[in-house]
């Protein structure tokens, strides 16, 4: 039986940030999408929902996807499939069964079958797919138009969403950003902050998920990767700690901390015109913080 009762959209709220670095006439609200669920947190549920619905509709009994050992997408898929009552398999890059990360242990505990593939095998995903024709596939990181379609629903949780002039969010594959661009109103600008270093194909990846001829009202900033995907230098940890103490906002080490830092920096550089009303999407991902040694952060 399919039951999504464990999700808690009623807990998702808007938190207004009062910070010294905000220019006097600029406001900042955070959409606390992280509160949707502790595992399928934030954007991952929205990205997955139509993949699940499609798999159920075509009667596929197994969903399969790809990811690394720290992938929020892997653990979210595992949990979402459990809720949907369908089997799932995760093809894990370069991993091995011995030393499981917290993320992979959780995915396995939620019932995902883990298949470890070497880095070279992982590169050739089509060769893996061809061997398993009965499976319903989701791209690595949930990238695709089906994911963007779900992510376009995120803003339906925002009351008076027309009041905002800018929507700011972290970017991995660009799927969520494409959804935000699809649902943005004509006067709204969408700004993505990439957590990867120098992933300059992102603009094209996002544009590919928009309807042909649709307005491409978005910009991606590549300056706030903190050393790249998975890199967590001490200054990032202190920034997360500071945000927790100052605003009570728990940020994750891979995506939202870099994006929020970037937003603050852009505010300090006066890149937002007076009168701007900015909405930051807290896209979740807090399970990723569990890969830090216990006690590194003041919250868990
Ligand atoms: C996966 C993830 C993202 C990136 O989403 P994409 O659609 O891949 O760009 C952003 N924030 C968090 C917390 C995530 O887990």
């Amino acid at each position: 039986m399919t039951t999504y009762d464990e999700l808690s959209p009623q807990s998702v709220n808007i938190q207004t940030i009062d910070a010294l670095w905000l220019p006097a006439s600029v406001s900042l609200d955070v959409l606390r999408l992280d509160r949707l669920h502790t595992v399928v947190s934030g954007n991952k549920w929205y990205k997955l929902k139509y993949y699940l619905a499609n798999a159920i509709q075509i009667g596929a009994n197994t969903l399969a996807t790809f990811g690394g050992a720290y992938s929020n997408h892997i653990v979210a898929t595992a949990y979402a499939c459990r809720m949907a009552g369908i089997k799932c398999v995760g093809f894990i890059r370069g991993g091995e069964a011995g030393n499981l990360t917290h993320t992979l242990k959780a995915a396995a505990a939620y019932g995902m079958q883990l298949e470890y593939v070497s880095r070279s095998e992982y590169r050739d995903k089509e060769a893996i797919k061809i061997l398993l024709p009965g499976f319903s596939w989701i791209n690595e990181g949930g990238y695709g138009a089906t994911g963007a379609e779900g992510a376009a629903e995120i803003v339906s949780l925002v009351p008076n969403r027309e009041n905002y002039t800018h929507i700011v969010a972290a970017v991995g594959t660009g799927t969520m950003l494409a959804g935000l661009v699809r649902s943005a109103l004509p006067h709204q600008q969408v700004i993505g902050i990439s957590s990867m270093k120098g992933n300059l194909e992102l603009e094209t990846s996002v544009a590919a998920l928009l309807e042909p001829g649709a307005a491409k009202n978005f910009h991606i900033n590549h300056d706030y990767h903190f050393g790249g995907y998975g890199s967590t230098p001490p200054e990032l940890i202190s920034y997360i700690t500071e945000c927790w103490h100052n605003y009570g906002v728990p940020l994750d080490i891979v995506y939202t901390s870099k994006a929020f830092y970037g937003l603050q920096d852009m505010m300090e550089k006066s890149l937002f015109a007076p009168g701007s009303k900015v909405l930051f999407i807290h896209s979740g991902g807090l399970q990723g913080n569990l890969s830090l040694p216990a006690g590194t952060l003041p919250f868990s």
Side-chain angles (χ1 to χ4, degrees), residues 41-44 47 72-73 141-143 151 169-178 195 202 229 252 254-256 281-286:
S41 89
N43 70 3
K44 293 295 182 283
K47 287 171 61 180
N72 289 336
H73 166 71
Y143 176 77
V171 179
T173 64
T175 306
M176 169 172 61
L177 204 77
S195 62
L202 267 179
Y229 190 83
D252 83 289
V254 181
Y255 295 102
T256 54
I281 310 290
H282 188 324
S283 41
L286 295 171

Side-chain angles (χ1 to χ4, degrees), residues 18-276:
D18 182 12
L20 290 174
W21 43 265
L22 277 177
S25 64
V26 174
S27 70
L28 172 59
D29 284 351
V30 175
L31 177 70
R32 293 291 307 274
L33 203 55
D34 56 304
R35 295 181 186 233
L36 182 68
H37 191 270
T38 50
V39 184
V40 207
S41 89
N43 70 3
K44 293 295 182 283
W45 166 250
Y46 287 88
K47 287 171 61 180
L48 286 168
K49 62 184 284 193
Y50 291 116
Y51 287 112
L52 288 168
N54 293 348
I56 291 167
Q57 203 186 357
I58 64 170
N61 76 344
T62 306
L63 247 174
T65 192
F66 299 93
Y70 295 95
S71 165
N72 289 336
H73 166 71
I74 285 288
V75 70
T77 304
Y79 201 95
C81 285
R82 189 176 84 153
M83 287 194 295
I86 47 181
K87 283 195 277 189
C88 66
V89 182
F91 289 83
I92 309 302
R93 179 186 54 230
E96 46 183 274
N99 203 356
L100 288 193
T101 59
H102 177 86
T103 303
L104 293 183
K105 273 188 204 145
Y110 301 136
M112 180 180 261
Q113 180 189 331
L114 300 176
E115 295 291 342
Y116 302 95
V117 293
S118 70
R119 283 173 189 270
S120 60
E121 286 170 316
Y122 189 85
R123 250 172 256 134
D124 191 358
K125 300 193 178 54
E126 293 311 314
I128 297 177
K129 289 187 188 177
I130 240 158
L131 296 175
L132 301 158
F135 285 13
S136 183
W137 292 90
I138 305 179
N139 288 334
E140 179 176 33
Y143 176 77
T146 306
E149 190 188 337
E153 294 177 11
I154 289 174
V155 290
S156 66
L157 297 166
V158 181
N160 305 320
R161 71 177 179 107
E162 66 284 357
N163 289 350
Y164 296 99
T165 56
H166 298 80
I167 300 171
V168 180
V171 179
T173 64
T175 306
M176 169 172 61
L177 204 77
L180 295 172
V181 175
R182 282 191 189 203
S183 55
L185 301 168
H187 68 279
Q188 294 177 326
Q189 211 201 340
V190 178
I191 301 173
I193 297 170
S194 173
S195 62
M196 279 176 274
K197 188 171 174 174
N199 184 9
L200 301 176
E201 284 152 31
L202 267 179
E203 278 78 358
T204 316
S205 311
V206 173
L209 302 183
L210 303 177
E211 266 129 44
K216 296 184 176 55
N217 198 9
F218 73 92
H219 172 79
I220 298 178
N221 189 304
H222 297 274
D223 297 336
Y224 303 107
H225 55 72
F226 280 84
Y229 190 83
S231 159
T232 51
E235 56 274 27
L236 189 64
I237 301 294
S238 349
Y239 184 69
I240 296 174
T241 305
E242 189 186 305
C243 288
W244 171 252
H245 289 137
N246 293 349
Y247 324 116
V249 178
L251 297 168
D252 83 289
I253 51 177
V254 181
Y255 295 102
T256 54
S257 53
K258 298 173 183 180
F260 201 74
Y261 180 94
L263 175 59
Q264 173 175 343
D265 193 57
M266 289 188 255
M267 291 276 186
E268 286 170 343
K269 291 180 173 151
S270 300
L271 297 182
F272 290 91
S276 296

